[in-house]
Amino acid sequence: MRWALVKVCLAVTTMVVAAFAIPLGLVIQEMARDRAFSAAERHAAGMGPTLSITTDRDQLTRAVATSEAGGDGRMAVYVPAVGRTPALKIGDRRATARDVEATRAQGRARTAGVPGGSALLQPFGLGSGEIAVVEIFVPESEVSNGVTTAWLVLAGVGVALIIGSVAVADRLGVRMVQPARRLVGAAHDLGEGKLGARVPEDGPTELRLAAVAFNSMADQVVQLLSNERELAADLSHRLRTPLTVLRLNAASLGDGPAAEQTRVAVERLEREVDTIIRTARDAKPQTAAGVHIGPGAGCDAAEVIRERMGFWSALAEDEGREARVAGVDRPVWIPVARAELVAALDALLGNVFRHTREGSAFAVDVHSGEDAVIVLVSDAGGGIADPQAALARGNSGASAGSTGSTGLGLDIVRRLTESTGGDVRIGSSMLGGTEVRLWIQRDPRRSPAGGRRRGAVRRRKRVSAGPE
């Protein structure tokens, strides 16, 4: 495409230059010829007054010698015989007698070819009625004076125009071809499974719009794949809650073949669920996938927390754990789907039962502000050695120093809070263990970097119960 554009531009420019340069050169050549013969006519006309006064040889010879053309040896005068006065031929003669007689007979100026150039023959009437002829020699060099230079200038301008047009066409071709090639390459990469392939949005308007459309399509493909895999992982992770209950109940069955078979079956089921979660997680494309909330989605956080605490309190009583909940005495609306909040709470509370020793207390506190809701999940366990690493997907189990963790629990919580413009932090709790702090913004349309968020962060620091 690039070279095709260059060839077309070269052909068009060459034709345009030829169409203008050649006629212009011919006009310049004709103008030089007209200029030379106009000067010759002027020199010839200068002898007219002298011929009308006298035909004396001496006076005519002196007049020819003092003229510009005569001084250069380019003038001759032909005076016919009058009575007893013989014919006169004065100056440097080049025209033939036939040409001179033809000029007398026609009574008008004419040109004749002579060696080295041309001769202008101009007739003048004498007082006796005869016709004298003045010859002015016009050399070929004067006729073509400046023509060669003009042709060279025109040729140089034409070549410069052709080179310039080729350079411009090449740049335009590059500007058009490179974005097209990038678009083709990105399409191939995306088709081969490289989901991070994107196209710079530059170049001509049409290609820029195509790049924008391609990038939007690629983002949607990545988002769809991410949502699909996240859904598989998260749904599998939600099975961990009833599995935890089964495992705790199986542990209390005592000894015996039936009890041992139940425990083995529960462990096998847990391993299968872990395998599903890890497979979905490992296949997850590298993209920032958040929890997307549809218009009008939301739930009463206080009601959900009361319900889940009621569920986990039964298990806490069996293990001798003290469970406390606060801040749920009145409705607390948040822009999060109920199922998502249930999954996040179950992930956090399940981690408490899974990664702390029996008898460790835990608590859930809710603080409701004007534009944000803070949920604190605290425990009296051993804490997390590296809180920052625990927030990365797949690291929570290793950070907690435990085994058998898929690392999705805290990631589910993080994605839920970030979907509203909030965040999640891990610190030390007042109970001596870990405190997971969820900051949920009430208006999900506000940017996390905006001033409203900074105000909410200040209020969160004032109302939070526990250090950072």
Side-chain angles (χ1 to χ4, degrees), residues 43 64-65 67-75 92 94:
H43 293 316
V64 169
S67 66
E68 180 180 352
D72 294 339
R74 296 188 294 113
M75 177 182 287
D92 298 319
R94 293 177 176 81

Side-chain angles (χ1 to χ4, degrees), residues 231-252:
L231 180 61
D234 292 350
L235 290 178
S236 300
H237 191 276
R238 293 177 188 182
L239 295 177
R240 301 293 294 275
T241 298
L243 283 177
T244 300
V245 178
L246 289 176
R247 180 173 56 82
L248 295 175
N249 290 336
S252 63

Side-chain angles (χ1 to χ4, degrees), residues 264-340:
V264 171
V266 171
E267 290 177 359
R268 183 178 301 170
L269 184 57
E270 282 186 320
R271 286 195 301 269
E272 294 297 332
V273 171
D274 290 347
T275 300
I276 295 174
I277 295 173
R278 289 193 181 95
T279 301
R281 183 193 64 195
D282 294 340
K284 177 178 179 291
Q286 298 300 318
T287 179
V291 178
H292 296 276
I293 302 170
C299 66
D300 181 3
E303 187 271 332
V304 174
I305 292 173
R306 286 196 304 268
E307 176 189 335
R308 301 319 297 164
M309 283 298 290
F311 172 82
W312 290 99
S313 294
L315 297 177
E317 184 178 351
D318 292 340
E319 293 190 356
R321 299 175 182 268
E322 180 184 353
R324 180 178 60 82
V325 62
V328 295
D329 52 339
R330 66 178 184 275
V332 179
W333 184 90
I334 59 174
V336 175
R338 177 186 177 87
E340 301 297 338

Side-chain angles (χ1 to χ4, degrees), residues 45-70:
M47 288 298 298
T50 302
L51 289 171
S52 64
I53 295 173
T54 182
T55 58
D56 183 71
R57 173 182 288 277
D58 294 337
Q59 292 183 1
L60 291 177
T61 301
R62 190 164 42 251
V64 169
T66 56
S67 66
E68 180 180 352

Side-chain angles (χ1 to χ4, degrees), residues 223 226-227 230 287-293 414-416 418-419:
Q223 189 62 59
S226 174
N227 290 343
E230 288 290 348
T287 179
V291 178
H292 296 276
I293 302 170
R414 177 181 57 80
R415 290 188 295 109
L416 179 140
E418 290 180 354
S419 70

Side-chain angles (χ1 to χ4, degrees), residues 32-215:
R33 178 181 177 82
D34 291 344
R35 182 176 63 248
F37 279 94
S38 296
E41 290 176 356
R42 188 171 61 254
H43 293 316
M47 288 298 298
T50 302
L51 289 171
S52 64
I53 295 173
T54 182
T55 58
D56 183 71
R57 173 182 288 277
D58 294 337
Q59 292 183 1
L60 291 177
T61 301
R62 190 164 42 251
V64 169
T66 56
S67 66
E68 180 180 352
D72 294 339
R74 296 188 294 113
M75 177 182 287
V77 177
Y78 301 91
V79 180
V82 179
R84 296 180 179 180
T85 303
L88 300 177
K89 296 180 181 180
I90 303 172
D92 298 319
R93 302 182 300 276
R94 293 177 176 81
T96 62
R98 180 182 300 177
D99 292 328
V100 174
E101 291 301 325
T103 303
R104 284 198 182 103
Q106 294 175 0
R108 56 186 177 84
R110 65 192 302 268
T111 59
V114 297
S118 302
L120 173 67
L121 301 175
Q122 180 71 46
F124 290 97
L126 301 178
S128 61
E130 299 294 332
I131 296 177
V133 176
V134 177
E135 174 192 331
I136 303 295
F137 173 65
V138 181
E140 188 65 33
S141 60
E142 187 173 345
V143 173
S144 60
N145 183 29
V147 175
T148 302
T149 303
W151 275 104
L152 291 176
V153 171
L154 289 175
V157 172
V159 171
L161 287 175
I162 292 174
I163 294 175
S165 65
V166 169
V168 171
D170 181 70
R171 290 299 89 196
L172 289 175
V174 170
R175 187 169 178 264
M176 295 178 62
V177 170
Q178 285 185 347
R181 287 179 177 173
R182 288 197 295 264
L183 184 60
V184 172
H188 283 302
D189 291 343
L190 187 64
E192 293 175 356
K194 300 177 182 179
L195 300 181
R198 296 295 183 274
V199 183
E201 297 173 1
D202 55 11
T205 303
E206 293 77 9
L207 292 176
R208 186 166 62 250
L209 293 176
V212 171
F214 176 85
N215 291 340

